[in-house]
Amino acid sequence: SLFRKKIFNNSKKLKKPKPWKHNQAITTTQLKQMRDEFWDTAPHYGGQKEIWDALRAAAEAELSLAQTIVDSAGIIVSNSDMTICYDERGAKYELPKYVLSEPTNLIREG
């Protein structure tokens, strides 16, 4: 379909996410809990499990490795910070900023 062609041709190269601030300061433990919760629940809202797994691996990897992961999984990156992606069937995957980078108001523990 035309839509599919359009998103395929518009796949962007990954870039480091812009700095962002959470609505309240959170600890590294809270951030980890939020991330785990997102990855546990997101696949239930649709999309393919293999794509969710690849997105998680990419989100947790260095940029160059992340690029390799999304490329090999056939993921179309609509926003270069990976917040919006599509799979080859045209299903949409939305990732919150907090799974992709740390907020500027993160409280480091220990």
Side-chain angles (χ1 to χ4, degrees):
S1 73
L2 196 65
F3 169 73
R4 203 178 238 160
K5 242 197 192 86
K6 188 167 157 16
I7 59 171
F8 257 111
N9 297 340
N10 287 345
S11 192
K12 298 196 169 69
K13 286 281 170 235
L14 295 180
K15 288 197 186 96
K16 249 180 132 48
K18 288 188 174 70
W20 63 281
K21 198 174 178 171
H22 194 58
N23 53 19
Q24 61 195 55
I26 53 168
T27 64
T28 43
T29 304
Q30 287 170 310
L31 180 64
K32 188 187 181 312
Q33 281 173 333
M34 285 164 62
R35 287 176 171 180
D36 288 344
E37 207 168 283
F38 173 79
W39 294 118
D40 287 347
T41 57
H44 301 294
Y45 294 112
Q48 305 174 67
K49 176 144 184 6
E50 318 80 77
I51 299 290
W52 282 116
D53 291 345
L55 286 170
R56 180 174 193 165
E60 292 171 356
E62 287 297 313
L63 213 54
S64 57
L65 177 57
Q67 185 70 62
T68 305
I69 294 167
V70 297
D71 289 347
S72 58
I75 294 167
I76 298 105
V77 178
S78 188
N79 286 359
S80 58
D81 62 0
M82 241 169 72
T83 48
I84 298 178
C85 299
Y86 293 88
D87 64 23
E88 289 167 329
R89 299 176 187 168
K92 188 180 188 180
Y93 299 78
E94 292 188 66
L95 303 185
K97 286 191 170 105
Y98 63 78
V99 300
L100 298 164
S101 61
E102 296 177 342
T104 53
N105 55 344
L106 183 72
I107 302 162
R108 297 195 184 275
E109 297 152 302

